Every structure is written in structure tokens, then in C-alpha cells.
Amino acid sequence: MERVSFKNNTWDVAGHLYFPENFDDSKQYPSIVCVHPGSSVKEQTAGLYARRLAENDFITLAFDASFQGESGGEPRYLEDPATRVEDIRCAIDYLTTLSFIDNERIGAMGVCAGGGYTANAGISEKRIKAIATVIGTNASRAFREANPVETLHAVAQQRTAEANGTEKLINNWIPNSAEEAEKLGLQEMDLLEAIDYYRTPRGQHPNSCNKLLFTSMSKLIMFDAFHLAEYFLTQPLLVIVGDKVGGFGSYRDGFDLYNKAASTNKKMHIVKGANHYDLYDQPRSTQEALAQLIPFFREHL
């Protein structure tokens, strides 16, 4: 693995570039951009998939979203879907500058919200030759289901306050512990699993600091990751979900993407007995996902 960086606009995006074991820089390789979930960083689940795919003769690139992790950009902790999609385009720009990358064999995969962003990028970014999502979510759908108009009013008030000197409002993505969630009366399966992954040694990373700039919410609510997929998402598509359905909606979103996509070569794979976060890092579930991802990308890249 090599630490790399590339530009999005004027700032640097920090990435990890993974290589096959017997890498030969005189050859050209297929490559895969691996996109992390919301609140995540490259060292977590996107890095896990990137590393395992590289073990199977792909060059893979996992990176921190703009404004987050080790990447640059201001304001910090902004989750801007349009910029997240542009990060993917910029990652592809970077890959095309590398002599050992075959520009005609670039794919992309994403986990959770990263899956939604990957699909959205593929709708218009035709340098992506194959697309895969692992428990991919349409983040806008999720946020639109939780008092969206009230939230938009709150964002409007907060922007006015910040324009007039108030400090930026930064919230947590999730409670910091299961005990905190219990005190708040929050016991939904996916939420508790998120806490277990992000806020315990299971998957915790210091750069994944559970901070979300509140004014991001208007951007999240208004962004539809699958907009126009029925017309323009024409690349081969693999959608992977787990059948233990939780509140984050990845099972539903997976079928929505699969049904909408214009691709004539698309596949849905359901991992039996897996919940959303099992497909982040649990060996049985991730191995089954990789058993689908590896031949899919080998065939189409």
C-alpha cells in the first residue's frame, strides 16, 4: 500500500493505493475506486475491500472524502453529496495519470452511502466501466424520512446565525455509545450496530470522529443518488445487500437501484443472515461479498 494524494478543486484528497502482491510497474492493471460510507474514513471498511480486491490482481484506491479524515477542504466535517461524487471523478483523474493503470478498465465500488455516491458517479462518469454497491444507500432517501421540512428550516436558521458570527454547529452522526443511545431511547438494530462498529475497537479509527456539520443536512436531504439511473446508468452493475433488514434502508435502496438502473447486465446478490454492518467487516459476510465482487470485476474490467 502507498499513501497518495490528488486534487479536488484547490485541496488535497488523501488516499491509499493498494497493489497486487507481484506488482510489475511495466504492466497495465485494471483498477477499482473504493468509496467509504458517510462518517467513515479510508482505513475502515472501504480499505478492507480495497485491500482484499488488490490481493486479486486489481489496483485499488480508497480515499478520505473531502472535508473529512486526512483530506483537505473547508468547512471541516461537511458531508456534501455533490463533492463526494466529484471526489470519485477526481480519483479517476488521478488513476489515469499512472502508467500502470489501464484507463479502459476502471471500476468503482462503494459501501453504504459510498455505494449511493458510486452509483451516482457512474450515471454520468463513463470512465467507470463497472459499478458495484455493498449495502449501498441513497442517503437522501434516509434523511428525507426524518422531518425534512423541519430540518430545512433549522438549517436556514443556523446558516443565518453563522453568517452573523455564531460558531458552526457540529453534531454527532450517531450516539457515542450504546449507553448513550439507550438513554435517548434509541434501540434500532442498524443504529446499535453502527455504534458497535464506529465507536468501539471493532472498527474505530481516530480520523473517523463522528462529527457532522449540521448545515450539511440541506444538501443530504435534496440529493437523490439514483436520479436518472433509469436513463444513464448503463454499465454492468452488481448490487449486494444483506437480508437482515434494519432501519438504514440499504435493502430497500439496493432493490430500488437494481430496478431503476438502465443496465442490461445487472445482478442482485443477497447475503443470507447478514445485517448492514456485517457487510462492513465480518469475515463470513465480507468473504461472500468478495466472492461476488472479484469475478464481477474480472469479467467486466
Side-chain angles (χ1 to χ4, degrees):
M1 185 272 284
E2 178 182 342
R3 296 175 67 87
V4 299
S5 66
F6 53 89
K7 289 289 187 183
N8 183 346
N9 205 313
T10 59
W11 57 84
D12 290 330
V13 176
H16 286 169
L17 192 65
Y18 292 84
F19 299 88
E21 184 176 354
N22 297 313
F23 171 70
D24 180 348
D25 66 5
S26 69
K27 297 180 179 179
Q28 285 198 320
Y29 291 82
S31 60
I32 303 168
V33 176
C34 301
V35 185
H36 68 65
S39 84
S40 191
V41 290
K42 62 187 178 300
E43 291 84 0
Q44 294 174 316
T45 184
L48 181 153
Y49 281 98
R51 184 173 63 254
R52 293 294 304 278
L53 288 165
E55 291 170 359
N56 288 272
D57 298 324
F58 300 98
I59 302 287
T60 58
L61 175 60
F63 58 89
D64 290 337
S66 293
F67 318 115
Q68 301 168 33
E70 294 182 309
S71 290
E74 296 288 340
R76 301 308 294 170
Y77 315 123
L78 174 66
E79 180 77 5
D80 177 7
T83 303
R84 288 277 253 137
V85 172
E86 185 63 16
D87 285 340
I88 299 169
R89 297 180 189 278
C90 293
I92 297 169
D93 290 343
Y94 168 71
L95 288 174
T96 67
T97 70
L98 304 176
S99 62
F100 47 82
I101 296 296
D102 185 336
N103 293 347
E104 296 304 313
R105 293 192 292 165
I106 298 174
M109 64 84 60
V111 182
C112 190
Y117 296 139
T118 299
N120 188 268
I123 289 170
S124 59
E125 177 54 84
K126 297 310 178 187
R127 292 178 298 179
I128 300 174
K129 303 303 183 184
I131 299 164
T133 66
V134 177
I135 35 93
T137 57
N138 186 348
S140 61
R141 189 272 315 151
F143 285 102
R144 282 198 304 270
E145 292 178 354
N147 302 314
V149 174
E150 180 181 325
T151 300
L152 290 171
H153 280 294
V155 169
Q157 293 173 357
Q158 182 62 29
R159 287 186 66 106
T160 296
E162 290 176 11
N164 286 274
T166 298
E167 288 189 6
K168 295 185 183 301
L169 177 59
I170 297 171
N171 292 334
N172 291 338
W173 281 89
I174 56 174
N176 276 309
S177 67
E179 292 76 18
E180 182 180 324
E182 184 177 1
K183 288 178 182 178
L184 294 169
L186 302 173
Q187 295 295 296
E188 196 278 323
M189 177 181 70
D190 278 354
L191 178 64
L192 294 179
E193 284 286 322
I195 294 167
D196 189 57
Y197 179 79
Y198 283 113
R199 310 311 299 163
T200 77
R202 171 183 167 188
Q204 195 169 28
H205 191 277
N207 292 341
S208 175
C209 51
N210 196 30
K211 293 182 179 180
L212 173 66
L213 185 70
F214 175 68
T215 52
S216 302
M217 294 299 294
S218 60
K219 300 178 186 296
L220 285 162
I221 288 169
M222 300 308 297
F223 179 84
D224 179 2
F226 305 154
H227 180 57
L228 299 180
E230 63 270 36
Y231 300 105
F232 301 121
L233 203 165
T234 55
Q235 300 95 318
L237 172 68
L238 171 63
V239 177
I240 299 174
V241 297
D243 72 347
K244 292 180 69 174
V245 180
F248 286 7
S250 58
Y251 186 86
R252 186 180 3 154
D253 288 343
F255 278 92
D256 186 27
L257 174 61
Y258 177 83
N259 290 329
K260 286 189 73 172
S263 173
T264 57
N265 188 334
K266 55 186 176 180
K267 179 181 179 181
M268 169 74 73
H269 181 79
I270 302 171
V271 181
K272 301 295 185 182
N275 66 36
H276 187 93
Y277 286 91
D278 288 336
L279 281 154
Y280 272 47
D281 68 335
Q282 294 303 292
R284 184 192 70 80
S285 299
T286 56
Q287 286 168 10
E288 184 171 335
L290 285 158
Q292 297 295 316
L293 291 164
I294 292 163
F296 171 77
F297 283 121
R298 281 180 176 161
E299 179 181 357
H300 297 295
L301 296 182

